[in-house]
């Protein structure tokens, strides 16, 4: 790519970024009095990821943990007549270096925005398609679809499926499972600060807000899950 084309691409990217920020602000007007905490919350805008060559939602980072014969991708989907973000994964069940195959779609939350997020009502339109399963004895999860909140020292998984509701903790990993019907849209509300308090953890200064779909080699197969919209109603 020559210098002129690179400059043109940079200029177009900058203009698109400004447009997204403005649109996100007005989408969240009335929900948050300040700058929106989650950008591109309705997944209306996609871009090509220069690292993977695949699509990802604009202003979100996408990372993959995959074995040699595992696969995963993101795309804009239409599910039950609704445009949404689709997370698609295949776990081949082989004894790879990593037990998990997963997709992370994330935004970093920093500084005072962390406190604002923890005191906000965070809601999702979400469409799960598979049941959550874990090891009966150790309770280690074998698959996941939902939200990960990761501050570098502690992890909370908010998992959504038709399995029985439960909350438990494995070391610095808290798991909150919410029962939802499969293969239909559901609207769910989360209280992240409450889970930090119940775990006995101090509120962090930085965290990653991560949409996740994953499966271990214990549960091979094809997985998918869908997010339509994230609403953040900011607290005081």
């Amino acid at each position: 790519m020559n210098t002129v084309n690179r400059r043109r691409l940079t200029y177009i990217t900058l203009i698109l970024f400004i447009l997204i920020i403005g649109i996100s602000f007005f989408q969240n007007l009335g929900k948050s009095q300040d700058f929106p905490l989650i950008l591109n919350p309705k997944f209306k805008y996609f871009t090509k990821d220069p690292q993977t060559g695949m699509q990802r939602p604009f202003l979100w980072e996408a990372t993959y943990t995959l074995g040699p014969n595992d696969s995963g991708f993101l795309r804009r989907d239409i599910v039950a007549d609704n445009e949404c973000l689709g997370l698609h994964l295949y776990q081949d069940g082989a004894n790879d270096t990593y037990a998990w195959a997963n997709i992370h779609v994330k935004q970093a939350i920093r500084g005072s925005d962390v406190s604002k997020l923890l005191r906000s009502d965070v809601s999702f339109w979400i469409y799960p398609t598979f049941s959550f399963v874990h090891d009966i004895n150790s309770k280690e999860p074998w698959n996941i679809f939902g939200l990960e909140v990761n501050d570098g020292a502690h992890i909370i998984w908010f998992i959504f499926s038709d399995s029985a509701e439960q909350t438990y903790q494995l070391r610095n990993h808290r798991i909150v499972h919410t029962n939802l019907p499969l293969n239909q849209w559901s609207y769910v509300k989360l209280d992240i600060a409450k889970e930090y308090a119940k775990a006995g953890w101090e509120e962090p200064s930085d965290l990653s807000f991560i949409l996740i779909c994953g499966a271990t080699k214990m549960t091979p197969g094809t997985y998918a899950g869908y997010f339509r919209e994230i609403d953040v109603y900011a607290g005081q």
Side-chain angles (χ1 to χ4, degrees):
M1 183 182 295
N2 60 39
T3 302
V4 173
N5 286 337
R6 280 199 299 269
R7 289 176 178 173
R8 183 176 300 158
L9 180 60
T10 301
Y11 178 76
I12 292 172
T13 302
L14 178 61
I15 294 298
L16 184 57
F17 176 81
I18 293 170
L19 288 172
I20 294 292
I21 295 297
I23 292 169
S24 295
F25 176 82
F26 286 106
Q27 285 178 342
N28 287 275
L29 197 63
K31 302 173 186 178
S32 172
Q33 295 180 352
D34 300 316
F35 197 78
L37 298 176
I38 303 296
L39 302 175
N40 192 14
K42 297 183 180 181
F43 313 108
K44 294 292 186 182
Y45 312 98
F46 279 69
T47 188
K48 187 175 181 179
D49 192 324
Q51 300 299 320
T52 65
M54 296 188 287
Q55 293 294 304
R56 62 173 169 81
F58 191 61
L59 301 175
W60 292 80
E61 179 185 355
T63 60
Y64 299 82
T65 301
L66 301 169
N69 294 310
D70 302 328
S71 62
F73 63 91
L74 305 172
R75 72 183 179 200
R76 180 189 285 112
D77 279 311
I78 298 178
V79 176
D81 298 323
N82 289 280
E83 289 189 358
C84 58
L85 168 66
L87 282 64
H88 298 266
L89 183 78
Y90 172 70
Q91 163 64 267
D92 72 341
N95 189 25
D96 300 326
T97 303
Y98 300 104
W100 283 86
N102 59 45
I103 304 171
H104 286 175
V105 188
K106 59 186 177 181
Q107 289 190 24
I109 311 295
R110 301 287 184 254
S112 61
D113 283 347
V114 174
S115 180
K116 292 176 186 177
L117 183 69
L118 292 178
R119 282 158 180 77
S120 299
D121 292 329
V122 179
S123 302
F124 291 83
W125 279 104
I126 194 165
Y127 192 106
T129 66
F130 58 89
S131 300
F132 169 61
V133 292
H134 58 68
D135 184 278
I136 295 175
N137 298 314
S138 69
K139 285 199 168 183
E140 290 284 352
W142 284 350
N143 61 19
I144 177 177
F145 170 63
L147 171 70
E148 175 179 320
V149 177
N150 190 329
D151 64 25
H154 310 102
I155 297 173
I156 303 175
W157 276 3
F158 295 94
I159 299 174
F160 308 104
S161 85
D162 63 341
S163 303
E165 291 201 359
Q166 56 185 318
T167 299
Y168 60 93
Q169 208 157 309
L170 302 171
R171 300 170 295 281
N172 291 323
H173 188 176
R174 185 170 179 81
I175 296 165
V176 182
H177 177 264
T178 299
N179 177 269
L180 294 178
L182 298 184
N183 302 310
Q184 70 180 59
W185 288 108
S186 295
Y187 191 68
V188 296
K189 296 182 180 181
L190 307 179
D191 188 335
I192 300 172
K194 182 176 73 174
E195 297 305 329
Y196 262 91
K198 286 184 175 181
W201 300 334
E202 293 185 4
E203 293 185 2
S205 57
D206 301 288
L207 61 81
S208 293
F209 186 93
I210 306 169
L211 313 180
I212 182 173
C213 181
T216 70
K217 60 187 179 183
M218 304 300 294
T219 54
T222 301
Y223 294 85
Y226 306 91
F227 294 91
R228 194 172 93 201
E229 180 180 350
I230 302 172
D231 293 324
V232 178
Y233 296 90
Q236 300 299 321

